Amino acid sequence: MREKLVMIGNGMAGVRTLEELLELAPDLYDITVFGAEPHGNYNRILLSPVLAGDKTLDDIMLNDEQWYADHGITLHKGKKVVRIDRARRRVVAEDGTTADYDRLIIATGSNPFIIPVPGHDLPGVIAFRDIRDVETMLAAAREHRHAVVIGGGLLGLEAANGLMQRGMDVTVVHIMDTLMERQLDGVAAGMLRKSLEERGLKFLMPAETEAILGSGRVEKVRLKDGTEIPAGLVVMAVGIRPNVELARAAGIHCERGIVVNDTLQTFDPRIYAVGECVQHRGVTYGLVAPLFEQARVCANHLARMGIGRYEGSLTSTKLKVTGIDLFSAGEFQGGEGTEEMIFQDPGAGLYKKLVVRDNRIVGAVMYGDTLDGTWYFELMRDGTDISDLRPTLLFGQAHHLGDSGHGEVQRVAAMSDTTEICGCNGVCKGDIVKAIVDKKLFTLEDVRAHTKASSSCGSCTGLVEALLAHTLGGDYSQAPHKKPLCGCTEFTHDEVRAAITGNGLKSVRAVMDFLEWKTPDGCSKCRPALNFYLVVAWPGEYEDDYQSRFINERAHANIQKDGTYSVVPRMWGGETTPAELRAIAEIAEKYDVPTVKVTGGQRIDLLGVPKETLPAIWGDLAAAGFVSGHAYGKAVRTVKTCVGSEWCRFGTQDSTQMGIDIEKMTWGSWMPHKVKMAVSGCPRNCAEATIKDFGVVAVESGWELHVGGNGGIKVRVTDFLCHVKTPEEVLEHCAAFLQLYREEAHYLERTAPWVERVGLSHIKAQVVDDAQRRRELAERFWHSQKFAQVDPWAERARGAARHEFTPLKQVG
Amino acid sequence: MQATNKAAVRQDWIEIGAVDDIPRLGARVVKTPEGDIAVFRTADDRVFALRDRCPHKGGPLSQGIVHGHRVACPLHDWKIALDTGEAVAPDEGCAARFPVRVEDGRVWLSLMPDEGCPNA
Ligand code: SRM
Ligand SMILES: Cc1cc2nc3c(=O)[nH]c(=O)nc-3n(C[C@H](O)[C@H](O)[C@H](O)COP(=O)(O)OP(=O)(O)OC[C@H]3O[C@@H](n4cnc5c(N)ncnc54)[C@H](O)[C@@H]3O)c2cc1C
Ligand code: SF4
Ligand code: FES
């Protein structure tokens, strides 16, 4: 018999928990849901746009009754639970309906706080919490002219704005002297007040309500100073209180909220609680992003995959008033031990403040242009050391990263529906917005799955996130503090790597068993990552798991759109000889290669080779002295060079030879992502060394070393690492840098984002400042090269992995 | 004449090789005049056969990463269920499924695709 799961509260956090649970374990429970409201589950956040007339009630329904029926869930809507009988494991609703449980979820949300001033219970005095409140407001807007909103916080301002949009004359009464004091500093609050006043809202602040007056229905509001304001409607938006009465009456330990542990269980382990009613590690939350994280962990535990832990969330806020962009997160007020970085342009209505402690962002307030909010929030969440970003940090992410494929479109609100957002998959703004609305998408992952936007090269991720935030309003910044490696595990890249080296795990299977992978054999995301981590951890010992490699690396050639492959042999440092060229020419003719092309990496590509032919063509290339160019791998690709001092009138050093030496030292090495290098003979930099992962620029006095450049999707210019005198030093620094990257970066993280994540100072400390550490890193690299520099093509030409290149059977 | 021949070939079970000829968590290809068929072997040694053509843009499924009873297409990472040939939601589409059976470690394949998938 299936266990019985009962849920009290049919709101956002609770139903999200059920959705996650059904995904993980669809058949584990018989589920019954009680909801006090007479509706299915809807998106409470969007009540503000409904009030303002930007959306309809139909638009904001998340799960209609059919959804409950489809999943075999018994829904008791419009039934309020009045008692939890823990001894009998039964809940009882107002109308006498009962349900027995084996496990119970309490998701009762919050109650709006009503100030107990005289007259607070008059008809026409309401809160702003549910559909009924919105309906009351809309009715009032039709019949009355004046509205008073008590409370100048997020909810109050959204209510005031909505009522104003509906034609009412609205006064906001706020007890503090600045608006949204829990999210904004004085400057931003002042700018907000000014633009709301320009739109027609009136503010009385600081001001305190003394009484609400009226006979039979509200007529006016009287303040402590005696002022009286006419009011046909009063909305109280002065805060919320976790709704804990039911739990408390059942003897469950509550403080401000229902106290839960990291698996969202209350003191009675059969009873879980999620959402605004919860107090976790002393904190209660009032925004959905953290509640959804709770939902995920709770579902995980209910599905008996008890490895998830909820460790608390950082939150950020946006205001959903069309045309006003503001963003706030963390310790925005600053204070002891912090410094403030401020950018202010009153003329343009722009304000940005970052609060920094120990070189880490701990808070942010932005007004007027919030596009970079997501980026700052990410830096804050990841605890990134920003010392190296200081000079340009306030100018935003776009300032130091060029973006290819998006032209100059940056502001999503202003874009037309036909603007292409994802250049890889041809997805337009309109498609994404429609999917978000129609399919009720909440997260970046959802949007990726449904529209493919940002699922390929990922450069439009920021735009898609901005579209999510813009379309949904509110902050959906979902990514939990800790990003798991993939859906098969809760562990992060770093944790997985530490487990591999710390526990001597030497196979993909061993890692999955040790870390209790949730899937039987991983997925196309984690298997290649694990394989790479093992390759780096145990050189010479670990036997590469080719079934865990992406096809290009498995077949040692690049799959093309028609299923044929390309063949790119190495051409050391981009230098070649007539004999080599002749050999390539003959081989291309012998195998009828349809296209021969000079690549962007200074070598020659033979395109359109059928898979079965690969070993033969490789055999001929090997006979002519060529080895694989790894143009297909997360590996060392090319080392581009210029002619240098041997020929060029400006050349200061032999850059060609330096490039050849680097390529001979590094070829064959597997990397977290592809690695491209270059050596230029002088600062004219014809080999484009300053957009390479590792770039060398020759100068009279020696060699300048540059790292972390990228010429692809997001162009990034290298950071200067150091200056050295001899070619030997160049090689040692190069080996040490690459080894550090191999040992520390996440799989599929190129050097550019890696350098930005860990900071240049961290890299300098290991590779430049500490000679012994550099030597050790380089030695480890050279050691692993002993096993890596085996030409995979020659091996296969001799018959290795034959099954990869021959059909199992030919029929007919 | 030719048509009847074809039908005769299609109905028969053909022995295509040993289970061990297919790498675990991998696939091999059977070439036929009507196109390639991908034959997969999962970690639990089940064997499945699908038309080697992804319902998305025709990617060769045999070249993908096999995990659980699914394969991730090498071109754009759609996941295809090996037992039904259906793309895993939210993607939509399916690759034709061919009956396979394993007897004494040998794999037998029928060239007659199961009903119900347009991608035959
Ligand atoms: C062949 C070549 C184009 C050409 O005809 O010149 C090429 C072809 C491909 N590039 Fe490239 N890139 C080629 C030079 C470049 C360069 C120029 C360079 O290396 O100086 C760049 C910009 C520099 C850089 O990477 O910083 C470049 C940036 C990319 C990117 C974006 C990388 C990024 O971090 O932003 C991708 C996508 C990816 O890796 O995810 C990519 C991916 C690809 C792939 C592998 C796409 C794919 O997954 O199928 C193409 C494979 C075609 C094939 O089968 O050979 N290619 N690609 C060039 C091969 C160079 C070589 O000899 O190995
Ligand atoms: C107007 C408005 C705008 C908002 N804007 C944002 C925003 O922009 N961004 C953001 O992140 N968050 C926003 N929020 C907050 C967000 O909506 C809440 O954090 C979220 O809905 C809380 O989810 P929950 O499941 O804990 O509670 P709810 O969604 O409130 O669900 C609780 C449900 O339980 C029911 N219930 C309570 N007691 C019982 C009982 N005894 N028996 C049966 N049912 C019961 C209630 O009727 C309710 O339906 C906004 C909220 C409002 C009201
Ligand atoms: S070769 Fe590079 S730039 Fe050209 S289409 Fe392919 S990935 Fe895009
Ligand atoms: S062709 Fe298979 S995912 Fe695109």
Side-chain angles (χ1 to χ4, degrees):
Chain A
M1 236 205 32
R2 299 205 288 188
E3 285 198 16
K4 294 193 198 61
L5 175 65
V6 172
M7 185 165 89
I8 308 173
N10 191 27
M12 297 191 73
V15 177
R16 181 70 174 204
T17 310
L18 295 185
E19 286 177 343
E20 298 261 0
L21 173 63
L22 291 169
E23 186 97 330
L24 294 171
D27 304 317
L28 206 53
Y29 295 100
D30 269 330
I31 304 176
T32 304
V33 175
F34 286 86
E37 292 184 69
H39 314 278
N41 174 42
Y42 60 92
N43 189 341
R44 194 172 304 285
I45 293 182
L46 296 186
L47 287 176
S48 305
V50 170
L51 178 63
D54 297 335
K55 287 208 159 48
T56 67
L57 281 179
D58 275 349
D59 290 342
I60 71 168
M61 293 314 296
L62 291 171
N63 303 83
D64 55 14
E65 288 180 42
Q66 192 57 43
W67 179 85
Y68 294 86
D70 289 348
H71 292 87
I73 298 173
T74 311
L75 172 63
H76 294 298
K77 60 173 191 175
K79 293 191 187 178
K80 181 171 174 184
V81 171
V82 289
R83 195 155 56 84
I84 303 172
D85 183 343
R86 285 166 58 210
R88 290 204 183 76
R89 302 219 300 265
R90 169 176 297 176
V91 302
V92 184
E94 219 163 17
D95 70 341
T97 313
T98 63
D100 295 337
Y101 66 83
D102 295 302
R103 303 211 196 188
L104 179 68
I105 306 175
I106 305 178
T108 46
S110 306
N111 289 322
F113 182 59
I114 300 287
I115 321 172
V117 288
H120 70 267
D121 46 5
L122 280 173
V125 180
I126 57 164
F128 184 17
R129 181 72 194 176
D130 54 27
I131 289 184
R132 205 185 43 194
D133 295 330
V134 172
E135 283 168 346
T136 310
M137 289 192 237
L138 292 180
R142 283 189 291 271
E143 288 165 27
H144 302 271
R145 169 142 179 72
H146 297 281
V148 171
V149 174
I150 303 178
L154 193 81
L155 274 189
L157 294 180
E158 289 187 6
N161 176 63
L163 292 169
M164 184 175 66
Q165 301 294 328
R166 295 290 181 170
M168 293 188 89
D169 179 318
V170 187
T171 306
V172 177
V173 176
H174 190 42
I175 194 159
M176 309 296 285
D177 54 3
T178 64
L179 293 173
M180 288 180 67
E181 70 284 352
R182 291 175 48 205
Q183 287 94 13
L184 299 182
D185 66 356
V187 181
M191 294 173 83
L192 174 64
R193 175 173 177 175
K194 183 161 162 272
S195 46
L196 289 173
E197 275 171 348
E198 280 164 8
R199 289 156 176 247
L201 280 182
K202 295 181 194 140
F203 293 94
L204 289 174
M205 53 195 272
E208 201 172 340
T209 309
E210 186 177 73
I212 299 172
L213 312 171
S215 46
R217 183 182 169 89
V218 58
E219 285 161 13
K220 49 192 169 187
V221 171
R222 187 167 70 220
L223 306 181
K224 285 250 160 83
D225 69 1
T227 316
E228 289 189 0
I229 329 158
L233 174 75
V234 172
V235 180
M236 287 222 199
V238 291
I240 52 173
R241 294 274 161 90
N243 185 359
V244 301
E245 277 59 46
L246 189 62
R248 185 169 278 144
I252 296 169
H253 178 58
C254 297
E255 289 172 6
R256 226 161 0 112
I258 305 171
V259 176
V260 295
N261 63 11
D262 289 358
T263 45
L264 283 309
Q265 284 163 297
T266 66
F267 275 42
D268 177 342
R270 285 184 180 276
I271 305 184
Y272 295 75
V274 292
E276 283 186 346
C277 58
V278 158
Q279 176 180 334
H280 172 264
R281 298 193 185 178
V283 183
T284 57
Y285 295 95
L287 293 169
V288 292
L291 307 184
F292 283 0
E293 288 178 35
Q294 294 177 351
R296 200 169 54 92
V297 175
C298 180
N300 211 281
H301 202 264
L302 281 166
R304 307 198 184 126
M305 298 175 171
I307 48 173
R309 287 270 175 286
Y310 178 67
E311 297 175 350
S313 310
L314 279 173
T315 56
S316 64
T317 320
K318 288 175 186 157
L319 182 72
K320 302 188 299 294
V321 170
T322 312
I324 292 189
D325 279 333
L326 71 79
F327 174 90
S328 151
E331 305 173 38
F332 63 91
Q333 288 288 18
E336 187 118 354
T338 63
E339 21 170 358
E340 295 176 7
M341 300 171 76
I342 293 173
F343 174 95
Q344 207 166 355
D345 181 345
L350 296 181
Y351 175 69
K352 273 191 202 181
K353 175 167 96 177
L354 298 176
V355 180
V356 174
R357 181 186 298 118
D358 298 333
N359 280 320
R360 283 168 177 82
I361 300 179
V362 294
V365 189
M366 303 167 72
Y367 189 89
D369 176 1
T370 53
L371 195 75
D372 282 306
T374 336
W375 184 51
Y376 294 133
F377 192 52
E378 216 173 273
L379 293 172
M380 179 170 149
R381 220 171 29 200
D382 296 347
T384 307
D385 185 328
I386 49 108
S387 0
D388 302 317
L389 297 173
R390 276 177 183 264
T392 56
L393 191 62
L394 280 173
F395 300 111
Q397 191 173 24
H399 186 81
H400 69 124
L401 291 178
D403 242 1
S404 61
H406 307 130
E408 27 175 34
V409 206
Q410 288 291 340
R411 237 163 278 255
V412 292
M415 290 176 185
S416 75
D417 276 355
T418 53
T419 309
E420 187 171 78
I421 301 285
C422 174
C424 293
N425 297 301
V427 192
C428 298
K429 173 183 167 184
D431 305 334
I432 299 175
V433 171
K434 187 163 184 305
I436 293 173
V437 174
D438 291 357
K439 306 225 163 93
K440 324 281 185 208
L441 308 183
F442 274 107
T443 65
L444 181 63
E445 280 65 39
D446 290 344
V447 176
R448 284 187 175 152
H450 282 90
T451 67
K452 302 292 172 215
S454 90
S455 64
S456 296
C457 78
S459 74
C460 59
T461 301
L463 290 176
V464 174
E465 280 183 334
L467 268 180
L468 259 172
H470 177 73
T471 310
L472 295 167
D475 171 42
Y476 281 88
S477 164
Q478 266 290 293
H481 187 66
K482 214 173 99 151
K483 268 196 200 131
L485 193 153
C486 72
C488 303
T489 179
E490 294 294 326
F491 293 102
T492 62
H493 283 270
D494 293 328
E495 289 167 342
V496 169
R497 294 199 88 153
I500 290 176
T501 43
N503 300 285
L505 307 177
K506 298 201 173 163
S507 69
V508 172
R509 186 71 273 150
V511 180
M512 289 182 177
D513 289 346
F514 186 84
L515 297 178
E516 297 181 353
W517 235 240
K518 289 193 261 179
T519 48
D521 31 39
C523 70
S524 49
K525 260 209 189 108
C526 58
R527 286 238 304 278
L530 295 184
N531 187 56
F532 168 74
Y533 293 151
L534 290 160
V535 164
V536 175
W538 316 112
E541 219 179 314
Y542 173 65
E543 193 177 334
D544 211 310
D545 174 10
Y546 269 87
Q547 293 315 132
S548 292
R549 284 194 179 266
F550 182 65
I551 177 60
N552 289 355
E553 295 187 352
R554 182 147 42 88
H556 284 280
N558 230 319
I559 194 166
Q560 306 290 318
K561 57 194 278 191
D562 62 354
T564 64
Y565 289 78
S566 66
V567 172
V568 188
R570 240 169 238 293
M571 206 165 253
W572 308 104
E575 196 177 69
T576 184
T577 61
E580 277 187 355
L581 291 173
R582 205 173 292 121
I584 289 183
E586 275 160 15
I587 290 167
E589 278 180 355
K590 173 168 167 195
Y591 292 96
D592 267 336
V593 171
T595 300
V596 179
K597 182 181 179 302
V598 174
T599 73
Q602 296 190 343
R603 48 198 191 165
I604 291 175
D605 195 348
L606 306 173
L607 290 136
V609 182
K611 197 173 183 191
E612 299 81 54
T613 314
L614 287 171
I617 199 167
W618 291 338
D620 287 1
L621 284 166
F626 290 100
V627 299
S628 163
H630 293 92
Y632 45 79
K634 306 302 172 215
V636 167
R637 295 277 175 96
T638 57
V639 183
K640 299 216 277 193
T641 67
C642 71
V643 285
S645 60
E646 210 187 348
W647 296 99
C648 178
R649 62 197 166 112
F650 295 120
T652 63
Q653 311 279 352
D654 190 347
S655 50
T656 318
Q657 191 56 47
M658 188 73 252
I660 294 173
D661 292 347
I662 290 178
E663 190 163 359
K664 293 229 155 141
M665 175 180 81
T666 57
W667 77 276
S669 172
W670 295 111
M671 293 285 167
H673 206 302
K674 54 193 180 188
V675 165
K676 300 173 175 185
M677 298 180 269
V679 186
S680 287
C682 82
R684 287 168 194 76
N685 195 10
C686 297
E688 299 160 330
T690 46
I691 50 162
K692 293 291 175 252
D693 296 278
F694 184 81
V696 182
V697 176
V699 287
E700 275 302 332
S701 57
W703 310 85
E704 276 181 358
L705 307 183
H706 299 258
V707 297
N710 196 317
I713 299 156
K714 282 190 187 295
V715 179
R716 181 181 196 272
V717 171
T718 44
D719 291 310
F720 175 69
L721 184 72
C722 63
H723 176 279
V724 298
K725 292 210 172 62
T726 66
E728 291 68 38
E729 287 174 287
V730 174
L731 291 175
E732 184 177 299
H733 281 76
C734 174
F737 172 75
L738 291 181
Q739 186 64 12
L740 190 67
Y741 172 54
R742 282 160 50 91
E743 290 178 6
E744 290 192 351
H746 299 164
Y747 188 63
L748 295 190
E749 182 177 43
R750 274 194 81 174
T751 57
W754 171 62
V755 168
E756 284 187 359
R757 182 167 62 82
V758 301
L760 181 67
S761 321
H762 168 75
I763 291 165
K764 274 190 172 162
Q766 328 259 335
V767 176
V768 183
D769 306 340
D770 183 342
Q772 189 187 337
R773 176 93 176 114
R774 172 171 69 244
R775 191 74 206 167
E776 288 164 6
L777 283 164
E779 296 283 2
R780 283 209 291 281
F781 182 75
W782 292 326
H783 174 72
S784 75
Q785 283 299 81
K786 286 190 205 142
F787 312 98
Q789 292 195 323
V790 179
D791 179 27
W793 288 358
E795 273 186 320
R796 281 157 186 74
R798 287 194 298 269
R802 172 152 296 149
H803 65 81
E804 188 66 60
F805 305 97
T806 45
L808 182 58
K809 184 157 184 112
Q810 179 91 43
V811 180
Chain B
M1 181 64 208
Q2 234 199 327
T4 38
N5 252 348
K6 216 184 220 174
V9 174
R10 286 178 125 221
Q11 273 158 10
D12 288 343
W13 288 94
I14 305 171
E15 190 188 333
I16 53 172
V19 175
D20 287 334
D21 293 337
I22 312 169
R24 228 179 237 142
L25 291 176
R28 297 287 300 275
V29 172
V30 172
K31 296 213 165 270
T32 82
E34 277 92 46
D36 291 358
I37 297 173
V39 186
F40 302 89
R41 176 178 175 196
T42 56
D44 53 3
D45 283 338
R46 299 270 310 272
V47 176
F48 300 94
L50 298 178
R51 170 66 72 216
D52 197 10
R53 209 163 64 211
C54 176
H56 178 219
K57 291 188 177 172
L61 297 175
S62 57
Q63 312 298 304
I65 289 184
V66 177
H67 53 99
H69 286 178
R70 290 176 179 180
V71 62
C73 176
L75 291 199
H76 315 99
D77 207 35
W78 279 30
K79 313 285 188 296
I80 311 293
L82 296 175
D83 52 352
T84 61
E86 304 259 4
V88 175
D91 295 321
E92 286 171 21
C94 84
R97 189 171 53 138
F98 292 83
V100 257
R101 55 193 167 91
V102 178
E103 267 163 33
D104 300 329
R106 308 294 301 172
V107 185
W108 295 78
L109 173 73
S110 157
L111 300 188
M112 189 77 99
D114 285 354
E115 303 279 305
C117 180
N119 168 15

